[in-house]
Amino acid sequence: MTAAGAGGSNPRQWRFDSGRICLDLVATSHEADRPDGPEPLANTGRLTCWLVGAGLVPTGTRLTGVDGSWVAGFVELRDCIDRLVRSRPLKGCPEHDLEVVNSRAQSPPPGIRAVRDEGGDLVRALSATPECAALLAVVARDAVDLLTDPVARSRLRQCEGDNCRRVYLDTSRGRRRRWCSSEVCGNRERVARHRRRTSVKDLEVSSAGIE
């Protein structure tokens, strides 16, 4: 998942098209072409942006106490889930990663309730200011559900886009989805393909002129 701006303060700067909340967290990993780049969840502002954009907390929720320990907790959980979903077969997955996910999944998730918004419609709200452990539990429980569901695991795919490591759940008809996002990686592939065809045609025209 890539932030469009340096600040990361706008939830719309993040993409959420992996099909599972745990995979959306995994998508905040470093890009393949920038493995030594800055941590995408480098600060509390970016993490807060992701929490809201991913729907872990409803828009407008007041988050207090978000600090470096929150960032460390989500980065640790993300990296463990990342390794687990890429393990083939799962029998060989790191036990430490399983322990971390299982430990985080034990905490109770935040309580929720339905409230009226300004227009009178019912919207989701949290019963209290969420703690870090409760939000980590939501992601960890989703990861446990995914890892223990053979059908869901069989739909895990890695994007075929150049320099993209995003993992997503392929729920398309015929299981023919190739990219994490048709609008992003798919469009890049189509543009690259067009450029290759254009280059070949230009080369053929140039060669014909020389002859």
Side-chain angles (χ1 to χ4, degrees):
M1 184 173 297
T2 304
S9 59
N10 184 350
R12 293 183 180 180
Q13 293 175 345
W14 300 85
R15 286 169 44 206
F16 302 97
D17 44 23
S18 300
R20 300 289 291 251
I21 187 104
C22 64
L23 298 181
D24 282 338
L25 179 60
V26 168
T28 66
S29 300
H30 293 85
E31 297 293 341
D33 60 343
R34 298 183 61 193
D36 299 323
E39 166 59 52
L41 294 179
N43 54 53
T44 57
R46 284 181 176 269
L47 176 59
T48 300
C49 167
W50 185 84
L51 292 173
V52 175
L56 270 180
V57 296
T59 302
T61 300
R62 185 178 180 182
L63 288 174
T64 59
V66 180
D67 57 21
S69 66
W70 285 54
V71 174
F74 273 91
V75 168
E76 179 190 37
L77 180 60
R78 178 199 68 193
D79 293 346
C80 288
I81 296 173
D82 190 351
R83 288 187 289 268
L84 288 171
V85 297
R86 297 180 195 278
S87 295
R88 298 289 189 275
L90 271 177
K91 291 180 180 179
C93 66
E95 290 298 322
H96 168 74
D97 294 337
L98 273 178
E99 291 175 3
V100 170
V101 172
N102 287 333
S103 175
R104 298 293 181 267
Q106 290 180 24
S107 298
I112 59 174
R113 57 197 181 109
V115 299
R116 300 281 184 187
D117 64 10
E118 295 180 355
D121 294 325
L122 289 175
V123 296
R124 182 174 65 95
L126 300 184
S127 301
T129 301
E131 299 291 338
C132 182
L135 296 178
L136 286 170
V138 176
V139 182
R141 290 181 180 212
D142 184 57
V144 170
D145 287 342
L146 175 60
L147 293 169
T148 57
D149 183 345
V151 174
R153 286 204 318 270
S154 70
R155 296 175 180 174
L156 283 170
R157 303 284 187 274
Q158 179 170 314
C159 181
E160 295 181 17
D162 291 340
N163 298 317
C164 183
R165 295 182 66 253
R166 283 173 60 95
V167 178
Y168 60 88
L169 208 62
D170 184 4
T171 57
S172 65
R173 180 177 298 178
R175 307 291 182 263
R176 296 178 179 178
R177 181 177 170 185
R178 296 178 54 197
W179 302 292
C180 62
S181 170
S182 178
E183 292 76 18
V184 181
C185 287
N187 186 58
R188 288 173 183 167
E189 176 63 23
R190 287 187 287 271
V191 170
R193 191 184 307 149
H194 173 73
R195 288 175 176 172
R196 287 194 294 269
R197 286 199 299 265
T198 301
S199 297
V200 170
K201 289 180 180 179
D202 290 344
L203 181 60
E204 291 175 348
V205 170
S206 176
S207 299
I210 294 177
E211 293 176 358

